[in-house]
Amino acid sequence: MTIARSPLAPQGFPDLPAIQGVAPRVARARYKTWDRCDLTFIELTPGTAVAGVTTQSKCPSPEVEWCRAALALGQARALVVNAGNSNAFTGNRGRAAVEAIAARVAGHLGCQPSDVFVASTGVIGVPLPIDKAEAGLDAAFAAPACDWEDAAATIMTTDTFPKAVLTRAVIGEKTVNLVGIVKGSGMIAPDMATMLGFIFTDAAIEPAFLQKTLSAANRTSFSCITVDSDTSTSDTVLAFATGHAGNAPLASFDDAGADAFQAALGDMCLQLAHLVVRDGEGASKFIEIQVEGAVSDESAHRIALSVANSPLVKTAIAGEDANWGRVVMAVGKAGEPAERDRLAIRFGPTQVARGGLAVDGYDEAPVTAHLKGQEIEVGVDLGLGSGRATVWTCDLTHGYISINADYRS
Amino acid sequence: MTIARSPLAPQGFPDLPAIQGVAPRVARARYKTWDRCDLTFIELTPGTAVAGVTTQSKCPSPEVEWCRAALALGQARALVVNAGNSNAFTGNRGRAAVEAIAARVAGHLGCQPSDVFVASTGVIGVPLPIDKAEAGLDAAFAAPACDWEDAAATIMTTDTFPKAVLTRAVIGEKTVNLVGIVKGSGMIAPDMATMLGFIFTDAAIEPAFLQKTLSAANRTSFSCITVDSDTSTSDTVLAFATGHAGNAPLASFDDAGADAFQAALGDMCLQLAHLVVRDGEGASKFIEIQVEGAVSDESAHRIALSVANSPLVKTAIAGEDANWGRVVMAVGKAGEPAERDRLAIRFGPTQVARGGLAVDGYDEAPVTAHLKGQEIEVGVDLGLGSGRATVWTCDLTHGYISINADYRS
């Protein structure tokens, strides 16, 4: 089944610089019966620092378990990404496949297996075939370095466009580059890093501090998006810092340039997260849910997710129907403090309900006009406190049903 | 938009006896631009006991607030149900409409307004027009008594078939009848009474004990179904007992026949709950999720709901795709204790995964055959303890999208 490029996709692919110390290559492992590259091998210069966040699923893939163990060491020499088979829920055979991949790469680079990070995405429950992985790796070792667009396309599954972002920060006298690629369009929910995302920078950063900045960036980006409320067994975001920019290594927020790096990384993660929503399965609208006036930021976040995950809200927006009653419903079911008669709701800039009922003389025309656009904003004010949160999602359309009822992901 | 009768609907409407002391009538209030009865008025004999459970939404309708206050008194003389307008989130005007309805009925019957129970279902945010309600009531007062099928049809909104159930119990020497009617097909989630349901019995029961039996029945029926994880602002289930059967009034489980009545009421609630799932918006499959081996019954219930509410599980079943990896995913995201390598999953009688991986020599043919049926069973064994739970849901199809993206409910 061919899915058309998402109508919410950005124009084209961004111009991205090479990141010193990072060499991507792609190959055909043929994990599925397709004729496309599906194995990505990215070699990293010795001394590259690594940080990561992984799924909160209680049934994670062996890749996730492998990465968690390797992250404790803070060093990386390579990343391997398999597309078409997530290798999740495959028992000992799944673990053996990850170990075989790490061993193959370690042999090729002369490094430790624990320096090799592995991520896989695709169908659950089918052990990753070791012979295909090894043949694919050997082909990748022999391949010329590719560009970021090839790498971003090779990690895709049901994605309809390759996703990448560039940000920069100035650390001391040095300008550092951050390039990120991401894949994901379904099984996206905010229990943490909610897709495969890989960020590469030439900045020099201590692993522990890189982890601190990535965790902070994750909280306001990948943890604030949802496509379908489903949480993958394989979600992984990794950040690699080669140090080739030559800045004085960052080790704490007291270091000059650390705030700038955090800002660039946060911007990177937010842009990557938005790209995932823009490729949400079947999405025709990009929706921002802004909640304020809650009793706490955490409460606001839970209410925002209740709205963002409501099938009735998402289908109403798909139908360009100013059915704000469904927003009331979703606020009411969140289980968080709310008082009906203090609640205010808006679509775009137009207030539709306030004080427990529709705004007097409410004119639906500007709301309908807003809903006909592709960028939808829903505002909820609880009127109780100063807690606020923003989450992003997409609408729920026939496209989601077609993709997921017909395609074994 | 005309929606075809659900393929999961039962054949025809059951034969139901009149309940002594209960007189239903219907009329056209024309809450929407339709030419159908949409107001149900049910007169109850003096001395009728009442019990109820209502939504857990933090933004309930004024009808729900009215019923909660009236339930404290334990007596009922009438029930009014409005279809086409839920009157929720309408501020003082909504409250005034409920008060006007109760006053009109009280004047007609010569009872207290607090003896009158009111429920409304339909669009949120539009105050129920008092003039239409009053004219509809006057028409109902003058109408002949109708049968249960008329009443069950008149409370419908997006429902595709009228829903009613008969059960019986023997109390002492007396056989008592219970007739229940229910409406609901979307905005169905298990935070409690999850639709409008009304149960009438000629049994004599003390109000406090009727409440106890209804609350118990609710926990294993209405609280165990979900169509779309959305919780209505108006959910209400009321049980009325006229006492005309002449049994010695039941006041506790020590009374002869109390267990039989509880069993009949429990059976009634479960059958009504299943009818709601069978009319789930767009449903093509009736799905039972059985979870066992969890650390507690509560944990099993939450895991079962995580599976039942997963859009990816529901679309896979819609597509008759034996994609058990999505069940693993949904178990993993529930946030409850689970160990990947102890997990076992079956579809119908066929075990597909055990001990953290696919069953050796797994043959997909019988699973695919099971999924082609209309009655689907998914079994999950956590392998951790003795906690168990069962929930019921339906699949997620194009029909759900069509209904909810195109129709302002």
Side-chain angles (χ1 to χ4, degrees), chain A residues 146-157:
Chain A
C146 68
D147 62 19
W148 288 115
E149 187 164 3
D150 285 338
T154 301
I155 67 173
M156 290 172 26
T157 54

Side-chain angles (χ1 to χ4, degrees), chain A residues 12-31:
Chain A
F13 193 83
D15 283 330
L16 301 175
I19 298 292
Q20 293 294 312
V22 179
R25 292 177 169 82
V26 296
R28 286 171 171 73
R30 298 197 161 82
Y31 291 122

Side-chain angles (χ1 to χ4, degrees), chain A residues 86-109:
Chain A
S86 78
N87 196 37
F89 211 72
T90 53
N92 287 331
R93 290 174 62 196
R95 283 188 283 277
V98 178
E99 288 167 9
I101 288 170
R104 193 82 157 199
V105 174
H108 175 69
L109 296 180

Side-chain angles (χ1 to χ4, degrees), chain A residues 60 230 310 321 333 340 408, chain B residues 60 230 310 321 333 340 408:
Chain A
D230 277 341
S310 162
D321 175 4
K333 75 165 181 165
R340 184 188 59 203
R408 184 172 298 195
Chain B
D230 277 342
S310 162
D321 175 3
K333 77 166 179 164
R340 184 187 59 202
R408 183 172 298 194

